[in-house]
Amino acid sequence: MSDTLAPAAPARTRSPWRSRLSRWDLKGSPYAFISPFFILFAIFGAFPLLYTFWVSLHAWPLLGEHTFTGLDNYQKLLSDEQFWNAAKNTFGIFVVSTVPQYALALWLAVTLNRKIRARTLFRIGVVIPNVTSVAAVTLIFGMIFAKGFGLANWMLSWFGVASIDWTAHTWSSWLAISMMVDWRWTGYNALIFLAAMQAIPSDLYEAAAIDGASRTRQFWSVTLPLLRPTILFTTITSIIGGVQLFTEPLLFAPGAGAIQGGTLRQFQTLTMYLIENGFTRFEFGYAGAVAWMIFLLVLVISLINILIVRRISGAD
């Protein structure tokens, strides 16, 4: 057996282009993977947003020249009583619908989180209203709240309440539209709360039970604080959805002038006012200013909501 060793093979050197390709793969691949979302967002989200802002800086009729007017549309909008009336209706309906909706959704989630029979069937059942056509739901609720033969007035007559014209008053139209919104979204929010509840460690409930905490005490001291991020998420999505409320008030009183939300605009929302200016009056520049004001209102309210939740979390 020979003691001599075979000569070592020369080290293979990578070509410069393969090294550059490897570095690009390491650094550029993550950006390439997430780029489809941002490309689509730029085309279908950012560009329409910026173009709408450009349109809002002009007097932009359907026919004729487009004249640059700067911030005149926004200045006019700030003193527009119809715009602020639509804003009042939008946020009024949002508050009237959201408060009972969240209370009922939390109650449903707590109930469905317990060991009850056929709970999977009940969990599926609560989202059925959400997959139902919004137009069909609105038409059915329109019949329920009809003045002459509606189910709501018939039930109120048991208690001696006179027949109510639900579309004629602000409070009654807000209440009727809020019930349509609650019918569709309570089950959806209940399922989100339920998913968050199931992520809470059972050790916390066991420790609370050992300390003698009742179910009610466990809900207020364990469940609700740990649901805070989920409540923040659903609140922001509810604000965005509430500001975009359109179909329910539009079909609540269908017919000529439905886009005005009643004879006195008692339930016209911001989105309806936007559509009225854009596609009834054909003032696209002014409609663009309304769209941007809606965007800014959602942004400001969402930031305020985040700050309030963080302040509450910090206080804890």
Side-chain angles (χ1 to χ4, degrees):
M1 184 173 181
S2 174
D3 295 335
T4 59
L5 297 175
R12 297 181 60 184
T13 58
R14 303 180 68 179
S15 61
W17 72 270
R18 289 182 66 88
S19 299
R20 286 197 296 270
L21 184 63
S22 178
R23 287 197 298 271
W24 183 90
D25 184 32
L26 289 175
K27 295 181 179 179
S29 294
Y31 299 102
F33 290 144
I34 63 174
S35 62
F37 166 78
F38 289 100
I39 291 172
L40 291 175
F41 175 76
I43 296 173
F44 298 106
F47 173 72
L49 195 66
L50 296 175
Y51 189 70
T52 302
F53 180 69
W54 175 249
V55 171
S56 71
L57 301 178
H58 292 74
W60 197 295
L62 181 63
L63 301 174
E65 296 183 355
H66 307 151
T67 308
F68 184 79
T69 58
L71 297 177
D72 287 356
N73 284 327
Y74 292 92
Q75 190 175 3
K76 178 183 173 184
L77 193 62
L78 292 176
S79 59
D80 186 348
E81 292 183 359
Q82 292 182 355
F83 170 77
W84 291 112
N85 175 69
K88 181 193 72 174
N89 291 334
T90 302
F91 291 105
I93 294 171
F94 170 75
V95 172
V96 172
S97 63
T98 301
V99 174
Q101 180 188 139
Y102 275 34
L104 187 57
L106 281 170
W107 176 78
L108 273 174
V110 171
T111 305
L112 293 174
N113 199 31
R114 294 178 181 174
K115 293 181 180 178
I116 59 174
R117 290 184 179 180
R119 63 178 178 179
T120 302
L121 180 64
F122 288 119
R123 289 175 180 178
I124 296 173
V126 295
V127 292
I128 288 178
N130 191 249
V131 299
T132 308
S133 165
V134 61
V137 170
T138 306
L139 292 175
I140 291 172
F141 271 86
M143 290 188 287
I144 291 174
F145 290 103
K147 180 183 178 183
F149 52 88
L151 179 64
N153 279 335
W154 178 64
M155 294 179 69
L156 287 175
S157 67
W158 299 347
F159 305 97
V161 179
S163 180
I164 298 173
D165 188 353
W166 294 92
T167 61
H169 310 286
T170 300
W171 68 269
S172 56
S173 57
W174 285 12
L175 187 62
I177 294 169
S178 298
M179 291 187 71
M180 300 178 202
V181 176
D182 289 346
W183 168 258
R184 290 195 66 223
W185 294 106
T186 299
Y188 173 82
N189 285 327
L191 276 192
I192 293 178
F193 292 147
L194 175 63
M197 285 179 187
Q198 292 184 336
I200 298 175
S202 59
D203 298 353
L204 298 176
Y205 291 107
E206 293 173 1
I210 292 173
D211 289 340
S214 63
R215 284 185 178 272
T216 305
R217 181 66 177 172
Q218 291 177 21
F219 173 78
W220 290 105
S221 300
V222 178
T223 305
L224 203 56
L226 294 178
L227 283 182
R228 196 170 290 146
T230 307
I231 294 174
L232 172 63
F233 166 75
T234 53
T235 302
I236 292 175
T237 55
S238 295
I239 291 171
I240 296 172
V243 172
Q244 295 175 348
L245 188 64
F246 179 74
T247 307
E248 288 91 343
L250 180 71
L251 296 180
F252 182 50
I259 197 69
Q260 295 178 359
T263 54
L264 299 176
R265 299 178 180 269
Q266 57 269 30
F267 54 91
Q268 186 186 46
T269 60
L270 284 170
T271 313
M272 294 170 71
Y273 189 59
L274 164 65
I275 299 298
E276 181 186 4
N277 280 281
F279 299 99
T280 302
R281 302 175 180 172
F282 300 111
E283 296 178 358
F284 295 109
Y286 196 65
V290 175
W292 259 87
M293 282 297 289
I294 293 173
F295 171 73
L296 293 175
L297 284 172
V298 171
L299 189 64
V300 169
I301 295 172
S302 298
L303 289 175
I304 292 173
N305 190 22
I306 292 172
L307 290 175
I308 291 174
V309 171
R310 283 187 177 178
R311 179 67 61 87
I312 295 173
S313 301
D316 291 343

